[in-house]
Amino acid sequence: MDALITQLQRQFRDYTISLYQQGFLDDQFTELKKLQDDGSPDFVAEVLTLFFEDCVKLISNMARALDQTTGNVDYSKVGASVHQLKGSSSSVGAKRVKALCVSFKDYCDTQNFEGCVRCLQQVDIEYKTLKTKLQDLFNLEKQIIQAGGRVPQVDIN
Amino acid sequence: MEFKSAEEGRIEKFPVGMRVLAVDDNPTCLRKLEELLLRCKYHVTKTMESKKALEMLRENSNMFDLVISDVEMPDADGFKLLETGLEMDLPVIMLSAHSDYDSVMKGILHGACDYLVKPVALKELQNIWHHVVKKNIKSYAKNIGTSRQLLPPSQSDLVPGVSKKRKDKVNDSGDDDDSDREEDDGEGSEQDGDESGTRKKPRVVWSQELHQKFVNAVQQLGLDKAVPKKILDLMNIEGLTRENVASHLQKYRLYLKKIDEGQQQNMTPDAFGTRDSSYFQMAQLDGLRDFTATRQLPSSGLLSRSHLTKIQPHLYSSINLQGMNSSGFIQQGHHQSSSNSANPFGTYHSTLPPRIQNVNLFQRTSSPLESLQFPRSKCSAYMGDFKSIGDRPIGGGFVDSCMSYGSSSTSLPSASTNTLMLQGNYTQPLHTVSSVNQPCIEKTLSNAASPNISVQGLSRLPSQSWQGNLNTTRFLSNSSPLNHAFFPDQVTCAGNNLGDCSSLVSAGNPGGGMQCEPQLLGGFLQNINSLDGQKWEQQNCSMVNNTFGNVEYPLPGDNMVFRENNAARSKGVDESLMSPIENSGNVNSQEYVGKPSTMVSAEMMKSGKPENAHIDNQNQHDVFDDIMNEMMKQEENNGMVSVAARFGFDSFPPP
């Protein structure tokens, strides 16, 4: 059992580091983890749930706003949603999503339709990718705990 | 937070439990902010809706010590919240994802205490309590003790550091540094003490001319767009500060609202039942107030806390500042009052010499009120005021001094006295929290003793709401059993509402739907559906979701219930006792009531009561007071004399 725990812990550590190194997560995610303790044991999961729900909602708003069939595109609406998403992603440490939001915002400001649509697609892909990866990470955590081990604190250099 | 009698201990406890109102329409950010604030050991109330936040602030200005809000929220401008918070003398911190110079500048110019850029770091939030201290530095200094050595080293180190800012603030905020708080210049730091000691600003007297300029400015800007800063610029009055304008604007808005309703409802006593007398004064200044309203005011004013606020301090100031221009108040719009001899208040106005009737009614009442509210700092200030009136305890002394100034009708003095007494009652409970306060207040508010004891059950903090206090007292005099009957309910409600460390007040569903509209942008959007989300939910978050769900939904319900109970009870009582007009009047006054208590709440903050327990008490009484309010309204209709008599303030001459 110990060997299993150790292995899982190593996997967890490596996976976490890779997420940071690949730019999926940044220090805000670390901060988020720090806020989790006995008082709020599911804080990270809770906030991430909120974040992903946010993503769905905001992306749908953006898509609706970018829908040309309903008339002229209201770029301010798109921009407002992008701004929200930028705020959410930056507070959870979703680095790639946030970076996308920055360029998305630029396209909104310049009313570049193609650019906006492209960004929208990318944002959609990004958040889903992140979600999958974080799910895997959480699963690892669960496995460690189920095996009786402790989830290690991972130091990101 | 334990309210220790040792001030040092108390200071050390703060900022633990500091009550923060967090507003952000982004649920992710809000949740994170909440957790960060909780980590700092603050008491957090969060909402995603700016409107809700405004409601909460107005409903009970004493509920929070600090507001932190995002500037960009779709349902409302974050700056509106900022304005409201500032009107209530609450420190407001702005949050934004924008860090560009213009945005930051805009926030600061609007009066934000601080501007934080998202994502916010924990250490940034750990320091925000400084803003509360800064706003209330004088009270704190006094509370800390006459000598600085009582200050914990960290505090001592801190205060000099902020003293510069404090000086700037002192320069800017005329109202808060009123003369009645001069005595409060204890030693938070040498610099601060010296600075505040020398920087005493005279009270602003809202003369007719001044008010007219104000109204012109507001009309020029448009009531919706009228913000204190712009009004201030338009008025272009030297020495007038933004805060002066802000508080005046607040009253003016409420007054206008009242006027609207009054005109619709043909002004009954109850419409102005517990109205702050500033409405009355505002009306007089504007010459709009109709006779009826004027007539009603005295009786309500007798018991109205706001009346107390308005009349008392102003009387003090008028007595103190002999040269104040009160002519405006008396001369204009008094046609109504003077023509009606049956109107005690009118009589008052017509008979009292200008000296006593002062436009100060309009002026910022925060200081005198604050002095009443916050025992520590208040004691001396309060005594100081009374001393100028006469070296007598409040009740009788006040009356006597009033009398001595001229042929004042009995109505005002007794009204004032009564209000004073009420004030004593009100403050007494507040002070019961701290033994330090009590002796102080009891001295200044004479007959407070026995009434206070009975009021203690209600234990209503004055800053809660004018109505609440007023009703408490009235109710008390009428039927104690009813008090107790309600009290437990209030406790429960309050408990639910406030017992939680962080309460989510948002009415909205921050989570957003997992569903989104498909079919947009072709197949792309077909990918955007709830499947993934659900998978996430199912895999990882069943527990989390449950937690999240539990956290979120019951709380709003509780809060809603609490608030609805409030309204429901009030309505219930209303119907049984009063006409619909009174009902709305009650509601209105409640609303208004929230406003003046902002001053109080500022003081509340000063005395540093961020404890949750405190909040519980307050909120319990909120509902309780509302009910009492209704009960009392009926009393009110019976006339001033009976009310006064009911209070058993025998020492006062009946009106």
Side-chain angles (χ1 to χ4, degrees):
Chain A
M1 203 57 170
D2 276 342
L4 174 63
I5 292 174
T6 313
Q7 186 194 0
L8 287 171
Q9 285 174 332
R10 192 157 24 98
Q11 268 185 293
F12 177 81
R13 197 177 278 114
D14 292 342
Y15 196 54
T16 305
I17 292 174
S18 79
L19 286 178
Y20 280 87
Q21 285 178 339
Q22 291 168 32
F24 285 100
L25 300 173
D26 63 20
D27 58 310
Q28 283 301 314
F29 186 78
T30 318
E31 294 298 316
L32 218 63
K33 293 224 93 159
K34 282 191 199 160
L35 286 175
Q36 179 163 295
D37 61 6
D38 295 337
S40 34
D42 302 308
F43 175 66
V44 179
E46 188 186 332
V47 176
L48 286 170
T49 308
L50 284 171
F51 171 65
F52 290 121
E53 284 174 0
D54 245 7
C55 285
V56 172
K57 184 178 72 168
L58 291 170
I59 288 174
S60 126
N61 288 348
M62 294 172 206
R64 212 175 314 127
L66 281 170
D67 185 3
Q68 287 180 308
T69 65
T70 58
N72 282 338
V73 173
D74 187 351
Y75 286 97
S76 63
K77 270 204 188 126
V78 187
S81 292
V82 172
H83 177 74
Q84 286 267 318
L85 187 60
K86 182 178 165 211
S88 305
S89 56
S90 72
S91 53
V92 300
K95 193 171 176 182
R96 285 199 188 180
V97 178
K98 182 191 166 187
L100 269 176
C101 286
V102 174
S103 20
F104 200 160
K105 192 74 173 47
D106 287 339
Y107 287 126
C108 285
D109 292 341
T110 55
Q111 308 210 345
N112 182 330
F113 183 75
E114 266 80 31
C116 283
V117 173
R118 223 176 23 245
C119 275
L120 184 60
Q121 287 169 332
Q122 284 172 326
V123 158
D124 188 59
I125 293 168
E126 270 310 324
Y127 100 83
K128 284 173 177 163
T129 309
L130 180 65
K131 189 198 266 189
T132 309
K133 292 198 177 282
L134 287 175
Q135 275 170 347
D136 292 343
L137 196 65
F138 270 88
N139 284 339
L140 265 177
E141 272 189 7
K142 265 209 276 189
Q143 284 174 47
I144 294 173
I145 293 168
Q146 277 166 4
R150 213 180 46 85
V151 179
Q153 298 273 36
V154 184
D155 245 334
I156 314 296
N157 42 322
Chain B
M1 163 163 111
E2 278 286 281
F3 198 55
K4 300 183 178 178
S5 52
E7 283 155 343
E8 181 181 356
R10 185 171 153 284
I11 292 298
E12 279 171 356
K13 282 291 189 180
F14 177 83
V16 169
M18 183 175 83
R19 299 158 305 167
V20 180
L21 174 62
V23 191
D24 193 334
D25 61 344
N26 186 317
T28 312
C29 297
L30 187 64
R31 180 68 187 93
K32 187 184 172 199
L33 178 65
E34 180 193 17
E35 196 62 33
L36 286 168
L37 292 167
L38 289 173
R39 187 53 55 94
C40 299
K41 300 209 175 74
Y42 303 142
H43 178 277
V44 184
T45 305
K46 65 178 183 188
T47 175
M48 281 189 20
E49 298 167 35
S50 185
K51 287 193 186 93
K52 251 282 161 323
L54 282 167
E55 262 172 42
M56 279 194 281
L57 282 178
R58 289 187 180 134
E59 171 188 324
N60 183 358
S61 57
N62 190 43
M63 216 190 266
F64 304 107
D65 298 311
L66 181 141
V67 179
I68 178 163
S69 163
D70 191 305
V71 290
E72 280 165 35
M73 290 188 284
D75 69 333
D77 190 6
F79 290 102
K80 182 100 174 92
L81 193 58
L82 170 56
E83 291 284 347
T84 308
L86 291 172
E87 280 171 4
M88 298 175 166
D89 205 29
L90 281 174
V92 181
I93 293 177
M94 304 256 59
L95 268 185
S96 177
H98 294 306
S99 60
D100 60 288
Y101 176 85
D102 289 332
S103 299
V104 177
M105 182 59 96
K106 188 179 177 193
I108 299 298
L109 287 178
H110 271 73
C113 283
D114 206 347
Y115 191 103
L116 302 177
V117 179
K118 291 190 202 176
V120 183
L122 184 67
K123 42 180 160 342
E124 288 179 283
L125 293 175
Q126 275 170 336
N127 286 337
I128 59 175
W129 61 270
H130 298 172
H131 299 293
V132 178
V133 175
K134 281 186 235 170
K135 281 252 178 194
N136 303 285
I137 193 81
K138 281 191 175 160
S139 306
Y140 277 127
K142 191 140 183 90
N143 296 340
I144 289 168
T146 50
S147 62
R148 238 163 311 133
Q149 57 261 27
L150 286 184
L151 265 182
S154 57
Q155 296 255 341
S156 305
D157 293 340
L158 165 69
V159 178
V162 305
S163 65
K164 182 170 184 306
K165 278 190 197 173
R166 168 106 180 80
K167 288 175 203 171
D168 295 338
K169 190 186 181 312
V170 168
N171 282 326
D172 290 339
S173 68
D175 291 350
D176 290 345
D177 302 327
D178 260 329
S179 48
D180 69 339
R181 285 163 52 170
E182 292 163 27
E183 289 85 349
D184 302 343
D185 285 343
E187 279 308 305
S189 74
E190 293 160 302
Q191 295 98 314
D192 277 359
D194 292 341
E195 287 297 326
S196 36
T198 53
R199 202 168 277 109
K200 296 170 193 172
K201 300 242 163 148
R203 281 194 205 152
V204 172
V205 179
W206 282 93
S207 65
Q208 182 184 0
E209 294 89 319
L210 200 62
H211 180 69
Q212 196 51 53
K213 278 201 172 183
F214 168 81
V215 172
N216 290 343
V218 169
Q219 281 164 3
Q220 199 176 329
L221 292 166
L223 188 60
D224 292 333
K225 292 209 170 29
V227 287
K229 203 136 193 69
K230 290 187 186 154
I231 297 171
L232 186 65
D233 292 338
L234 278 174
M235 285 175 73
N236 195 24
I237 304 278
E238 193 183 325
L240 193 66
T241 69
R242 201 204 138 279
E243 279 79 1
N244 299 140
V245 176
S247 67
H248 193 71
L249 178 65
Q250 189 179 356
K251 293 171 206 154
Y252 185 64
R253 281 207 181 111
L254 286 159
Y255 158 68
L256 288 178
K257 206 175 169 115
K258 248 323 188 180
I259 291 293
D260 277 342
E261 291 147 7
Q263 281 164 356
Q264 292 159 16
Q265 299 155 8
N266 191 25
M267 300 291 219
T268 65
D270 295 298
F272 285 83
T274 50
R275 279 286 174 187
D276 191 307
S277 59
S278 67
Y279 282 146
F280 174 51
Q281 297 139 23
M282 187 75 81
Q284 301 215 317
L285 283 177
D286 282 347
L288 296 179
R289 189 59 179 263
D290 75 278
F291 173 78
T292 320
T294 305
R295 179 158 28 105
Q296 301 312 331
L297 194 55
S299 54
S300 56
L302 188 69
L303 300 169
S304 157
R305 183 174 189 66
S306 52
H307 180 90
L308 169 65
T309 311
K310 295 294 183 242
I311 300 295
Q312 272 187 339
H314 297 132
L315 286 166
Y316 301 159
S317 54
S318 65
I319 289 163
N320 292 337
L321 311 169
Q322 311 266 317
M324 296 311 290
N325 169 24
S326 59
S327 57
F329 184 75
I330 295 180
Q331 285 149 14
Q332 59 151 342
H334 284 67
H335 44 274
Q336 301 138 353
S337 51
S338 48
S339 62
N340 179 23
S341 56
N343 176 3
F345 211 71
T347 308
Y348 156 61
H349 285 296
S350 56
T351 56
L352 274 180
R355 175 167 292 186
I356 293 185
Q357 286 192 12
N358 55 26
V359 171
N360 291 345
L361 285 169
F362 240 153
Q363 84 185 25
R364 221 179 134 106
T365 58
S366 55
S367 311
L369 179 60
E370 288 165 346
S371 62
L372 293 171
Q373 300 305 328
F374 293 85
R376 292 177 183 205
S377 53
K378 294 322 174 225
C379 284
S380 49
Y382 202 77
M383 286 306 289
D385 283 341
F386 278 104
K387 272 181 185 133
S388 64
I389 295 170
D391 292 325
R392 303 264 296 270
I394 291 178
F398 189 77
V399 176
D400 290 348
S401 35
C402 275
M403 295 297 204
S404 68
Y405 272 98
S407 57
S408 54
S409 73
T410 54
S411 64
L412 178 65
S414 48
S416 309
T417 314
N418 285 337
T419 50
L420 279 172
M421 297 309 292
L422 289 175
Q423 182 69 27
N425 288 340
Y426 292 137
T427 51
Q428 184 63 18
L430 170 62
H431 303 317
T432 53
V433 183
S434 156
S435 55
V436 175
N437 300 331
Q438 269 179 349
C440 218
I441 296 302
E442 277 168 7
K443 259 186 252 165
T444 55
L445 307 171
S446 58
N447 302 331
S450 50
N452 285 338
I453 291 169
S454 50
V455 171
Q456 275 185 13
L458 300 175
S459 191
R460 193 140 178 26
L461 294 174
S463 57
Q464 285 264 312
S465 76
W466 297 107
Q467 271 188 346
N469 292 332
L470 173 59
N471 295 330
T472 299
T473 311
R474 290 184 189 176
F475 184 71
L476 195 60
S477 66
N478 285 328
S479 52
S480 309
L482 188 51
N483 278 351
H484 299 304
F486 277 99
F487 188 69
D489 292 332
Q490 305 314 314
V491 177
T492 331
C493 281
N496 286 344
N497 193 20
L498 301 166
D500 304 298
C501 198
S502 75
S503 47
L504 173 60
V505 184
S506 164
N509 172 17
M514 293 304 290
Q515 312 296 329
C516 49
E517 298 173 13
Q519 319 314 327
L520 295 174
L521 288 186
F524 170 61
L525 284 180
Q526 284 171 5
N527 292 331
I528 302 172
N529 55 34
S530 57
L531 289 184
D532 287 353
Q534 285 168 358
K535 195 161 79 160
W536 167 262
E537 301 287 332
Q538 288 152 12
Q539 283 185 6
N540 292 317
C541 305
S542 55
M543 176 174 61
V544 173
N545 278 346
N546 289 341
T547 310
F548 185 59
N550 290 340
V551 166
E552 190 152 318
Y553 295 106
L555 279 177
D558 287 345
N559 291 342
M560 299 304 186
V561 166
F562 181 76
R563 291 203 162 82
E564 281 157 3
N565 280 345
N566 221 343
R569 285 182 187 186
S570 297
K571 285 199 165 75
V573 180
D574 273 345
E575 258 125 32
S576 63
L577 298 178
M578 296 171 276
S579 71
I581 291 173
E582 296 170 350
N583 209 349
S584 59
N586 179 35
V587 173
N588 292 335
S589 50
Q590 272 184 353
E591 204 182 313
Y592 178 79
V593 163
K595 291 278 166 83
S597 56
T598 59
M599 326 281 200
V600 176
S601 70
E603 288 302 324
M604 290 301 297
M605 293 195 304
K606 290 171 195 173
S607 60
K609 307 166 146 356
E611 289 89 343
N612 299 347
H614 225 61
I615 297 171
D616 287 340
N617 282 340
Q618 295 174 15
N619 281 283
Q620 293 164 8
H621 298 299
D622 263 332
V623 182
F624 184 32
D625 289 329
D626 292 335
I627 296 161
M628 296 310 106
N629 197 7
E630 305 314 322
M631 306 294 293
M632 305 316 297
K633 284 220 176 122
Q634 196 178 24
E635 312 269 352
E636 211 179 319
N637 296 337
N638 296 335
M640 279 172 59
V641 179
S642 54
V643 172
R646 265 197 291 271
F647 274 97
F649 294 160
D650 303 313
S651 60
F652 297 130

